[in-house]
Amino acid sequence: MGAKKVSVLRDGAETKIAVEDLMVGDEFVVRPGEKIATDGVVATGTSAVDASMLTGESVPVEVGPGDTVVGATVNAGGRLVVRATRVGSDTQLAQMAQLVENAQTGKAQVQRLADRISGVFVPIVLAIAVITLGAWLGAGFPVAAAFTAAVAVLVIACPCALGLATPTALLVGTGRGAQIGVLIKGPEVLESTRKVDTVVLDKTGTVTTGKMTLVDVVTAPGTERVDLLRLAGALENASEHPIAQAIATAATEELGTLPTAEDFANAEGKGVQGVVDGHAVVVGRESLLADWSQHLSPELVQAKSSAEAQGKTVVAVGWDGQARGVLVVADTVKPTSAQAISQMRELGLTPVLLTGDNEAVARQIAAEVGIDTVIAEVMPKDKVDVIARLQAEGKTVAMVGDGVNDAPALAQADLGLAMGTGTDVAIEASDITLVRGDLRSAVDAIRLSRKTLSTIKTNLFWAFAYNVAAIPVAALGMLNPMLAGAAMAFSSIFVVGNSLRLRGFTSTSSAPTH
């Protein structure tokens, strides 16, 4: 799936080398349509990268200098120069392949059950074959007829299908999971998903985007929204602060190119000031505007208080000696989160929101997505205790998170699901990795795991029932060994065919959002 050759920049010239010879720190060129050779950071150039091979997400991701890119994804747009940060077995693709391989070679609890059954079943069948031979000879039948009946018992009872029942379903199920962005770390995870009844969700980066976004613009009487956005956006565009960038990004998306700010100055902890299009603009806390004798009108004070009561951040804007409006910034809910919560309920799961944020913000987010149970103002180290408390109440808990602070809770939970957009330590501590940042992937993971487990059980039932039902027929001499061989092969074909049905599993992430 990865690239085979790569164009490395050496002394300003391009040199073609094998991907295996690439080293961390090397800069390499990726032309439009080429696969990115390894994980790295864009040094120069802008482009759209098709990451569907890794994430299942069809929409290309825009990247520019400083953005990380993943090996084996496809450069769909312009020319990029990428600096390698991880090579060989350290790359995301190699780690994904290792996870899938581990999952496909391990043994689920139900597989160990099949092994125990086989351990008893095989000696019993051998005993039945010997008894059949003795009975036929004792009854005076020819030796050939006696051996034919005994061999038919051995052939029809051959537990090939029993041995194939679990590995084939695991192979197809985990492989299909990897295709839709769900990496199941081991077969024992399947058992956990069957029992899970409570899903604990981290808020930031899991239910919400984890990024500040402009959510409301309130103008003072006589001020146009366009002017407020243009002047505030131009000034904030010169700042690196996340809130400033959220405002600048929203202004750029709505208005296009912004004017350049002059005499830009940062008032530490309060905001920024500067000159835009000849206007002396101030953007920041209400206290910063007050320093310039610019006071918010009663309407703006009311809007500010209302937004802050919901846990949102409010930025005041003024120019030419007068407060002109407020901009409301917040961490927004992912557009698919409410649908994911609804789907979890359909699976019989109880969602719980767990966050270190204040109660008001947590309740607001929970109401937006349809979660009834909220546990707020929890310190990172106390998240484990919350999971343990729920388990002590008799609940089987799944935890979905993405940050370093979620890793201990992910490990404590009966089933840990890590967002692949999160940190490596969270992914390492989890049982299932969701390559996409879409919460519906968690629903996919649980549905796929349950479907795989159900397929394994169906396979085991039919493989075992088939053998048990056919043994008496063979022992009574009513089954020719050649027919018994064909019938035994058919049972294996049935098991493999049933497992292959998992390839048709569809992701809820492809469904439209509501």
Side-chain angles (χ1 to χ4, degrees):
M1 294 171 80
K4 303 294 181 284
K5 294 279 185 181
V6 57
S7 298
V8 181
L9 286 175
R10 298 264 165 87
D11 300 322
E14 289 185 31
T15 308
K16 281 269 187 189
I17 62 170
V19 169
E20 299 81 49
D21 298 331
L22 200 61
M23 292 186 290
V24 172
D26 280 346
E27 291 194 348
F28 58 92
V29 177
V30 190
R31 292 180 175 78
E34 288 184 344
K35 286 182 179 178
I36 295 171
T38 193
D39 297 0
V41 175
V42 177
T44 60
T46 57
S47 182
V49 173
D50 178 1
S52 58
M53 187 278 295
L54 284 176
T55 64
E57 187 62 63
S58 57
V59 181
V61 180
E62 295 292 332
V63 297
D67 290 334
T68 57
V69 289
V70 179
T73 54
V74 179
N75 178 15
R79 180 181 183 270
L80 293 174
V81 175
V82 179
R83 185 169 56 258
T85 55
R86 294 196 288 194
V87 296
S89 59
D90 292 333
T91 63
Q92 190 173 331
L93 180 67
Q95 289 170 356
M96 285 174 64
Q98 188 60 49
L99 284 174
V100 175
E101 192 176 322
N102 291 346
Q104 292 177 340
T105 54
K107 282 193 177 183
Q109 194 174 330
V110 71
Q111 169 71 4
R112 288 191 280 274
L113 172 65
D115 291 346
R116 287 201 300 274
I117 291 171
S118 296
V120 175
F121 180 72
V122 171
I124 289 174
V125 168
L126 290 172
I128 291 172
V130 171
I131 291 167
T132 300
L133 179 65
W136 277 69
L137 290 174
F141 287 98
V143 173
F147 269 101
T148 297
V151 168
V153 168
L154 290 173
V155 171
I156 197 66
C158 180
C160 294
L162 208 58
L164 288 169
T166 302
T168 53
L170 273 179
L171 199 70
V172 181
T174 52
R176 179 62 187 143
Q179 286 179 328
I180 61 170
V182 173
L183 299 179
I184 301 170
K185 278 199 175 174
E188 63 283 349
V189 170
L190 302 177
E191 295 287 341
S192 304
T193 59
R194 180 172 59 90
K195 300 168 189 167
V196 164
D197 52 29
T198 304
V199 181
V200 175
L201 304 163
D202 171 54
K203 179 180 77 70
T204 307
T206 301
V207 176
T208 66
T209 60
K211 291 190 294 188
M212 294 303 240
T213 308
L214 182 66
V215 293
D216 199 11
V217 178
V218 183
T219 58
T223 302
E224 293 294 324
R225 173 192 167 94
V226 172
D227 294 333
L228 187 73
L229 264 183
R230 184 169 57 85
L231 297 180
L235 192 59
E236 294 285 50
N237 200 30
S239 171
E240 293 297 319
H241 195 281
I243 292 175
Q245 285 301 303
I247 293 170
T249 300
T252 304
E253 287 175 355
E254 189 167 322
L255 306 175
T257 307
L258 299 173
T260 304
E262 298 168 0
D263 299 330
F264 175 85
N266 184 25
E268 196 64 45
K270 284 191 170 185
V272 292
Q273 58 202 50
V275 177
V276 181
D277 284 352
H279 300 283
V281 185
V282 183
V283 181
R285 293 181 185 272
E286 186 180 358
S287 59
L288 178 62
L289 270 70
D291 292 345
W292 290 79
S293 299
Q294 299 178 13
H295 301 287
L296 301 184
S297 65
E299 294 90 347
L300 294 180
V301 170
Q302 172 61 38
K304 178 176 180 289
S305 301
S306 174
E308 286 179 340
Q310 296 173 8
K312 296 171 182 173
T313 302
V314 179
V315 177
V317 183
W319 65 83
D320 297 345
Q322 187 181 337
R324 306 286 181 163
V326 293
L327 302 170
V328 182
V329 179
D331 179 12
T332 54
V333 170
K334 291 178 182 177
T336 57
S337 290
Q339 187 186 1
I341 301 302
S342 171
Q343 290 169 347
M344 284 177 187
R345 292 190 187 282
E346 288 171 15
L347 290 175
L349 305 170
T350 304
V352 175
L353 188 67
L354 178 65
T355 178
D357 222 330
N358 70 61
E359 189 86 21
V361 175
R363 293 274 169 204
Q364 174 80 14
I365 296 293
E368 209 172 318
V369 297
I371 297 177
D372 300 325
T373 310
V374 177
I375 304 171
E377 298 176 27
V378 179
M379 296 295 287
K381 60 185 176 58
D382 297 330
K383 287 187 176 183
V384 175
D385 298 335
V386 171
I387 301 292
R389 190 177 75 236
L390 290 169
Q391 289 170 327
E393 292 170 6
K395 296 180 171 69
T396 304
V397 182
M399 165 84 186
V400 187
D402 73 325
V404 172
N405 61 355
D406 297 322
L410 288 167
Q412 171 68 34
D414 298 287
L415 180 69
L417 300 100
M419 292 287 188
T421 49
T423 60
D424 287 349
V425 68
I427 292 168
E428 189 61 36
S430 67
D431 302 304
I432 294 176
T433 301
L434 311 172
V435 178
R436 268 181 284 187
D438 189 333
L439 194 54
R440 292 178 298 177
S441 294
V443 179
D444 286 341
I446 292 170
R447 284 178 53 242
L448 177 61
S449 296
R450 288 182 176 180
K451 184 80 173 166
T452 304
L453 191 63
S454 166
T455 301
I456 289 171
K457 290 185 171 177
T458 304
N459 285 350
L460 287 172
F461 171 78
W462 283 110
F464 191 66
Y466 182 86
N467 285 342
V468 169
I471 286 172
V473 178
L476 293 171
M478 298 163 66
L479 198 59
N480 181 286
M482 289 181 68
L483 287 176
M488 184 270 292
F490 175 76
S491 71
S492 297
I493 291 168
F494 172 83
V495 162
V496 173
N498 191 45
S499 296
L500 286 172
R501 289 170 58 230
L502 286 167
R503 290 177 66 181
F505 178 88
T506 53
S507 165
T508 55
S509 306
S510 57
T513 57
H514 300 296

